[in-house]
């Protein structure tokens, strides 16, 4: 993780790459079964909106994420062959460098806005 700081990557960016690498490794048939279970728990917790300690609780809400996710990544790294994890980390790093489609984001946001408007109009018509 120290090399990530030296390269100017944020902690959140590094965790996102690690979670993606673990997800790729979990899907790889060369990954041991125990590591797959641990990896699925780590990725599930990292991506889940539900935390052990809710984020709105000052300090404690963020500390659980800052401690549990890196601990899970560490444990997963101990259970998987180093070459395999390095391969998936390189793939995840390359995927994070891909350009973001601004038009794609705009289309998705517009679609959700249209769905919300239609739902709002439907509800308002039922109560009028």
């Amino acid at each position: 993780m120290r090399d990530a700081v030296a390269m100017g990557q944020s902690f959140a960016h590094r965790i996102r790459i690690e979670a993606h690498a673990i997800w790729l490794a979990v899907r790889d048939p060369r990954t041991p079964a125990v590591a797959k279970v641990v990896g699925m728990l780590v990725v599930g917790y990292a991506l889940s909106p539900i935390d052990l300690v809710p984020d709105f609780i000052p300090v404690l809400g963020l500390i659980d994420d800052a401690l549990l996710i890196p601990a899970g990544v560490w444990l997963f790294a101990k259970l998987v062959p180093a070459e395999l994890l390095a391969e998936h980390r390189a793939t995840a790093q390359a995927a994070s460098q891909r350009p973001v489609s601004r038009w794609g984001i705009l289309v998705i946001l517009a679609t959700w806005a249209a769905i919300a408007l239609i739902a709002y109009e439907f509800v308002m018509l039922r109560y009028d």
Side-chain angles (χ1 to χ4, degrees):
M1 293 265 180
R2 288 184 187 140
D3 59 353
V5 174
M7 293 178 4
Q9 293 178 343
S10 71
F11 180 72
H13 178 75
R14 193 70 216 152
I15 290 295
R16 188 170 62 235
I17 290 172
E18 289 294 324
H20 187 191
I22 291 172
W23 175 247
L24 293 171
V26 164
R27 296 174 41 205
D28 192 319
R30 299 173 291 174
T31 302
V34 173
K36 285 185 179 193
V37 171
V38 170
M40 289 172 53
L41 290 172
V42 170
V43 171
Y45 186 77
L47 299 177
S48 173
I50 300 170
D51 292 335
L52 289 178
V53 180
D55 288 341
F56 64 82
I57 297 174
V59 182
L60 293 178
L62 298 176
I63 288 178
D64 74 326
D65 292 337
L67 294 177
L68 289 177
I69 294 172
V73 170
W74 174 82
L75 179 60
F76 183 81
K78 294 293 182 191
L79 296 171
V80 175
E83 315 82 48
L84 180 67
L85 190 54
E87 174 187 327
H88 291 301
R89 279 182 176 147
T91 303
Q93 181 67 34
S96 75
Q97 301 301 322
R98 285 190 217 135
V100 176
S101 172
R102 306 281 183 215
W103 284 106
I105 292 170
L106 184 63
V107 167
I108 290 171
L109 288 176
T111 302
W112 279 108
I115 290 169
L117 180 64
I118 290 169
Y120 174 77
E121 290 297 327
F122 179 75
V123 169
M124 294 310 289
L125 285 175
R126 298 228 343 127
Y127 290 108
D128 278 345

